[in-house]
Amino acid sequence: MIQAQQLTKRYGNKTVVDHASFTVQPGAVTGFLGPNGAGKSTTMRMIVGLAAPTSGQVLVNNRDFKKSQHPLTEVGTLLEAKSVHKSLTPLAHLRSMAATAGLPNSRVQEVLELTGLSGVQRKKVGGFSLGMGQRLGIASALLGDPQVLILDEPVNGLDPEGVAWVRNLARAQAAEGKTVFISSHLMSEMAQTADHLIVIGRGRIMADAPISEFIDNGLAQTIVRATDIDVLMNALSAQGVQLRRIDAQTLEVTGPESEIIGRRALETGVALSELRPIQRTLEDAYMELTRDAVEYNSNIVAKHSDGK
Amino acid sequence: MTTQIQTPRRGKVTFGGVLRSEAIRMFSLKSTAILLSIAVVLYVAIAMGGTWGIGSLLQSMGDVSQMEGMGAMTQPGFASETIGSGLVFSQLILGVLGVLLFSGEFTTGSAVSTFLASPQRLRVMSAKIVLIVLLTGVTQLVSSLLAFVAAKPIAENYNLTLDFGGESFQFVLWYGALAVIMTALMGLALGMMLRNSAGGITVLTGVFFVLPIITSLLGMLADWLNNVSAFLPYQLGLSLATPLSVPTELELWQQLAGVAGWIVIPLALGAVLLAKRDIK
């Protein structure tokens, strides 16, 4: 479990992470989603003690990771940058990491096999492609068979087979009861992997909810067009739904399914010229969330107090 | 909410483990073998060349004991001190190894892996200190012994005495190793502070070769600066290892205190910065 409380990082007068509070639960894959530069990597670096928070704190399994005596078995981490000396081989790099914690060389062989790097274990890392570098990073993260897995953009540079492999790996680790925290700037990727999403934009946590809420959330949206739109508006507002006038004849209805809107139109005798449900994809929800960090902040709070 | 905090049974980080980890990486890098062999070969070659040069000079000049400024050359230990002629080069080359051991972490990004595997940063620093002290100390001892063996037949050829047990060679052997260790640790501290290989090597070279020139120039203006120059690492190493050729007005304890200062102060500064700054 990872718990961040009012976590803040400032570089000069630029606030990269702004009072972020969230909890990453074990037994699930938690996606950490945000555009590039939103503060994902910085947050992850603070979790593992590589960057010091300006204020606030973050605990891993209720402890400060910087004081951990079992770092590799507690937390496995892949950070965005290739973090291996270019003149080393994967074998030397992993053996060196394993040595700090007294892990056996057999475990090094296991993770090399698991990540498909056995064939290149004696090649220098400097010549590796981005995808191979990522595989080595994942091998390093898995080395201690850790309880918490933190992966920063793990599918970067991976081929489709590798992407599927990471997805299965994350799901399998979560199924074993481990805490899995994966960052990405692609909602489509998260939609297929994560159970829970934490969205960050401009350093602020903008949403923290199960992935299902990002799609349904009772937020069916429909575009309705009619000449007597005012009549329909009155009829619908009785239902306690959100209405937004787009132009003289067009209305955006948030809440009821389009079927109910149609029936209401029939009851009130309003002839509809258009009744079009908007399929909100995760991508839309994400785009909307990150379009304007400050404005959407309040909307999400409203959503939560909506009885969810 | 109750959370089970289970401490894993495996995977405890120990100082020995970190030291082994550092050693595995150091010996996997080609630069280590290259720098170590250059240091040894250069030192031995200079010792051989120096012995030959002194021998042939003394032979061609006959009795030099009455000549002005040549007195030192006739003292019994002088030939032994010639073994240490390459000391400054050993210091610099092994000092570079010290710089690279820490700067390499930051230039290649491997610092991230290192400090993920051992989040206690000062433990990593201590392991690097132990590793570089052992490695450079042993290398310098081996260099001096090899140089002695290689120069012995040359010295005998010119009737020069190379006395293994004599004070002069023992100074070259042990104080030479101390001078090398001091430089390597200065390099390590520079690599840790600057996080940049070229910068660290440049500053180290500057402290060794440029600072003495500056202080001796300024020494003409202010007398007290001459006392400062005796404490420069270049001067300290030579006056400890080869006191006949490079005499000093400092007492032995003052020299050793100077060496300790050059070791402890940069490392302490580096440790503070390492503990405070973020790892990139």
Side-chain angles (χ1 to χ4, degrees), chain B residues 36 39 43 86-99 101 125-144 171-190 204 208 233-234 236-238 240-241 256 258-267:
Chain B
L36 290 181
Y43 186 82
L87 181 60
V88 179
F89 297 100
S90 282
Q91 280 179 283
L92 266 188
I93 293 166
L94 297 174
V96 166
L97 193 67
V99 173
L101 180 58
M125 182 189 82
S126 311
K128 284 185 192 289
I129 290 174
V130 170
L131 181 65
I132 198 80
V133 165
L134 286 176
L135 193 61
T136 59
V138 167
T139 302
Q140 181 57 25
L141 291 177
V142 168
S143 287
S144 288
F171 280 177
V172 167
L173 187 64
W174 297 106
Y175 286 135
L178 179 67
V180 163
I181 287 171
M182 169 187 73
T183 319
L185 289 176
M186 285 168 64
L188 190 73
L190 284 170
L204 188 69
F208 265 77
Y234 175 86
L236 279 176
L238 289 179
L240 274 169
L256 292 177
V259 171
W262 283 107
I263 291 175
V264 172
I265 295 168
L267 279 178

Side-chain angles (χ1 to χ4, degrees), chain B residues 105-158:
Chain B
E105 293 273 8
F106 297 103
T107 53
T108 64
S110 66
V112 169
S113 303
T114 303
F115 293 109
L116 284 174
S118 173
Q120 294 81 4
R121 296 184 190 171
L122 296 187
R123 175 154 63 194
V124 172
M125 182 189 82
S126 311
K128 284 185 192 289
I129 290 174
V130 170
L131 181 65
I132 198 80
V133 165
L134 286 176
L135 193 61
T136 59
V138 167
T139 302
Q140 181 57 25
L141 291 177
V142 168
S143 287
S144 288
L145 294 175
L146 282 179
F148 184 88
V149 171
K152 185 85 174 158
I154 303 172
E156 277 168 357
N157 195 28
Y158 293 106

